[in-house]
Amino acid sequence: MREIDSKVITKAVRDLCIEANSFLPEDIKARIQKACDTEPWPLAKSILGIIKDNYEIAEENRVPICQDTGMACVFLEIGQDVHITGDLETAIHEGVKLGYTEGFLRKSVVRDPLDRVNTGDNTPAMIYYNIVPGDKLTLTVAPKGFGSENMSQIKMLKPSDGLQGVKDFVLKVVEDAGPNPCPPVVVGVGIGGTFDKAAFLAKKALMRSTDVRNAKPFYADLENELLEKINAKGIGPQGVGGHTYALAVNIEEMPTHIAGLPCAVNINCHVTRHKTVEL
Amino acid sequence: MIKKVTAPLTKEQLKDLHSGDDVLITGVIYTARDAAHKRLCELLAEGKELPFDVKDSIIYYVGPTPAKEGQAIGSAGPTTSYRMDAYSPAMIAAGQTGMIGKGKRGPEVIEAMKQHGAVYFGAIGGAGAYLSRCIKKAEVVCYEDLGSEAVRRLEVVDFPAFVIIDSEGNNLYETGRKAYLDSVK
């Protein structure tokens, strides 16, 4: 049994919150650069150039890429041979609080969805636990902006809707979103499981590097096909027209019930942030 | 060609602003998001004065990050505008002439823009670090309890935006997409 002090987790979460908000992942940067080089529509191209300048300014000056520094989504993969001393959940929230206050990040969380009083420190975090074999603890912080979160949808399709139903739904979500979620976006799709699991899979899909396709060739092909169809819509970056609407489509799938075909689409803006450490 | 826009934005200036125009905005603008709009519109409904001069005003839908030492303001890109659709017609009727945000607007807002004279500018969503450089001064006007959502008076210089919807109701989100698709047919 390996022991990890919860104070170590607090410090790691704090640092990840700050770093994830200033440094865009390399795969996203590479895709924005590629879009800058290949976008045929002049206004779209100039917007992509500013988006590139923006993440470079953020990186150089260590300031947030976007003012919506998000809700802190924290994913833990806890080895079953790890013992955490202290209160894990409190340690995570404390890390978010320190990261958002000491890191000059925006406090965007309200204590109740209807009375809407700001908690003042961006807590609570949205926490996802997963128990895995081994004695390591992998921690990912993904600050999720709500301009794009608000454009996400879920649908309980019928088995008879099949593959075509999934394609139609993903394209409908993109059409509904249009210019709102700060395109270019990354599209996370979750297929199968239950109502809640499909939504989780869509979010998990956004944590995967856009350089990595789904391990199953069928779904990898579907990712490529949907990316092409989305960009053929011509909505373009920021919705002003152009080719580049999505940088990538990532799909995660899992078994489901004989009666169901849940499908969730979680949209992320071009500021698709996540950072991981292994403790 | 890039057009220079000065704020406050007079009705006279609106005539020269057309959907698709690239603009640089210089002058004094105000910030407000959902929570501040709710309070401002409650004041209007009660027939009370607003805490700033709404006539010819440009309102930027933004909730900035806290400023670090030496910064006028933290990262400050636009938030999605449709959440202000419930409030914008009343604000436009009260004299507001410009809105800066990103994303679609509802028909009731576009109708108010045509009726009273107002334009909707789009700033680049997600470019908060870049756009904050064009904001030279920021001070809270009211609703400090709302934190990032407080109403701020901003002095901006050459703040980049596009005219998405002009005062005649022409909409770049529709025409830009169509023009691009026609070009690749």
Side-chain angles (χ1 to χ4, degrees):
Chain A
M1 188 65 82
R2 181 172 162 236
E3 288 219 337
I4 298 179
D5 189 337
S6 59
K7 289 193 189 77
V8 174
I9 294 170
T10 294
K11 173 77 166 64
V13 169
R14 175 203 174 273
D15 294 349
L16 289 173
C17 286
I18 296 172
E19 285 168 29
N21 269 300
S22 295
F23 300 94
L24 205 56
E26 292 302 322
D27 63 300
I28 302 292
K29 286 177 6 188
R31 280 180 186 258
I32 293 171
Q33 177 63 62
K34 188 170 167 240
C36 281
D37 297 341
T38 56
E39 173 62 54
W41 196 240
L43 180 55
K45 198 180 180 76
S46 77
I47 286 172
L48 291 165
I50 290 177
I51 284 171
K52 180 168 176 269
D53 289 348
N54 181 65
Y55 72 66
E56 288 175 353
I57 290 168
E59 207 171 274
E60 199 182 312
N61 299 288
R62 297 194 164 227
V63 295
I65 307 162
C66 175
Q67 76 291 335
D68 185 354
T69 51
M71 269 192 120
C73 297
V74 181
F75 297 81
L76 294 97
E77 290 204 337
I78 306 171
Q80 60 194 28
D81 298 325
V82 172
H83 175 247
I84 295 154
T85 57
D87 182 336
L88 174 60
E89 193 131 332
T90 304
I92 295 166
H93 294 314
E94 185 63 18
V96 168
K97 180 180 166 181
L98 291 175
Y100 277 74
T101 46
E102 295 176 4
F104 293 87
L105 305 178
R106 196 177 80 181
K107 288 76 179 173
S108 311
V109 177
V110 293
R111 69 179 183 187
D112 178 288
L114 293 176
D115 88 7
R116 309 203 69 82
V117 177
N118 199 300
T119 62
D121 57 15
N122 219 56
T123 63
M126 297 292 112
I127 306 174
Y128 307 84
Y129 299 105
N130 194 19
I131 307 293
V132 297
D135 65 354
K136 301 273 194 288
L137 193 159
T138 307
L139 198 56
T140 298
V141 173
K144 185 66 174 76
F146 256 57
S148 56
E149 194 74 357
N150 280 338
M151 294 297 112
S152 305
Q153 297 185 37
I154 187 164
K155 188 163 174 80
M156 302 305 280
L157 295 166
K158 299 187 295 292
S160 63
D161 293 326
L163 176 61
Q164 191 59 46
V166 168
K167 289 181 193 174
D168 290 347
F169 180 61
V170 173
L171 294 173
K172 176 205 177 295
V173 174
V174 166
E175 186 64 39
D176 289 350
N180 292 3
C182 297
V185 299
V186 177
V187 180
V189 181
I191 311 171
T194 49
F195 180 77
D196 53 309
K197 280 280 185 185
F200 172 73
L201 287 177
K203 180 148 269 94
K204 189 180 161 206
L206 295 173
M207 299 303 120
R208 194 207 314 154
S209 165
T210 55
D211 290 341
V212 180
R213 292 295 98 232
N214 188 297
K216 294 180 183 165
F218 173 81
Y219 285 103
D221 288 347
L222 184 57
E223 289 173 337
N224 292 331
E225 183 189 335
L226 284 170
L227 179 61
E228 202 174 302
K229 288 203 159 101
I230 289 167
N231 286 332
K233 282 176 167 288
I235 304 167
Q238 302 292 312
V240 300
H243 175 75
T244 314
Y245 185 84
L247 298 170
V249 176
N250 284 1
I251 300 174
E252 293 286 323
E253 85 296 339
M254 73 185 302
T256 189
H257 190 275
I258 49 172
L261 176 46
C263 184
V265 181
N266 196 192
I267 308 269
N268 213 349
C269 58
H270 58 85
V271 191
T272 289
R273 300 159 285 197
H274 46 83
K275 198 157 173 67
T276 301
V277 287
E278 192 180 271
L279 300 175
Chain B
M1 196 193 69
I2 300 175
K3 286 184 182 168
K4 296 267 188 181
V5 171
T6 55
L9 180 66
T10 60
K11 301 238 168 169
E12 199 56 35
Q13 285 187 79
L14 295 181
K15 289 179 210 152
D16 298 325
L17 293 173
H18 304 290
S19 176
D21 285 352
D22 229 338
V23 301
L24 291 170
I25 303 167
T26 298
V28 172
I29 65 176
Y30 295 90
T31 73
R33 291 173 43 108
D34 316 45
H37 269 86
K38 186 163 184 275
R39 293 188 190 180
L40 293 170
C41 285
E42 280 165 5
L43 289 178
L44 287 177
E46 291 164 13
K48 292 183 179 156
E49 286 249 317
L50 296 190
F52 61 92
D53 190 3
V54 69
K55 186 176 178 291
D56 296 344
S57 64
I58 296 179
I59 296 181
Y60 182 19
Y61 304 147
V62 60
T65 59
K68 286 185 175 177
E69 211 180 300
Q71 283 185 310
I73 197 166
S75 295
T79 195
T80 325
S81 307
Y82 72 90
R83 299 196 318 272
M84 268 51 77
D85 282 1
Y87 309 113
S88 293
M91 296 293 291
I92 292 168
Q96 178 187 356
T97 49
M99 300 165 277
I100 308 173
K102 51 122 175 158
K104 297 179 235 185
R105 303 311 303 262
E108 66 282 14
V109 177
I110 298 171
E111 204 38 58
M113 291 166 65
K114 283 154 70 176
Q115 191 188 337
H116 300 282
V119 293
Y120 172 48
F121 299 103
I124 296 181
Y130 181 94
L131 293 169
S132 78
R133 295 186 152 191
C134 308
I135 301 169
K136 305 302 175 188
K137 200 175 165 194
E139 58 191 34
V140 172
V141 175
C142 59
Y143 311 148
E144 196 150 17
D145 61 299
L146 294 178
S148 173
E149 293 200 78
V151 171
R152 288 174 170 79
R153 178 186 184 276
L154 304 184
E155 290 180 23
V156 298
V157 175
D158 290 340
F159 183 95
F162 316 99
V163 178
I164 301 287
I165 306 172
D166 60 28
S167 55
E168 291 175 351
N170 302 302
N171 190 341
L172 177 64
Y173 290 144
E174 290 160 10
T175 56
R177 182 178 181 183
K178 188 176 178 302
Y180 165 72
L181 287 173
D182 286 346
S183 80
V184 292
K185 257 182 193 166

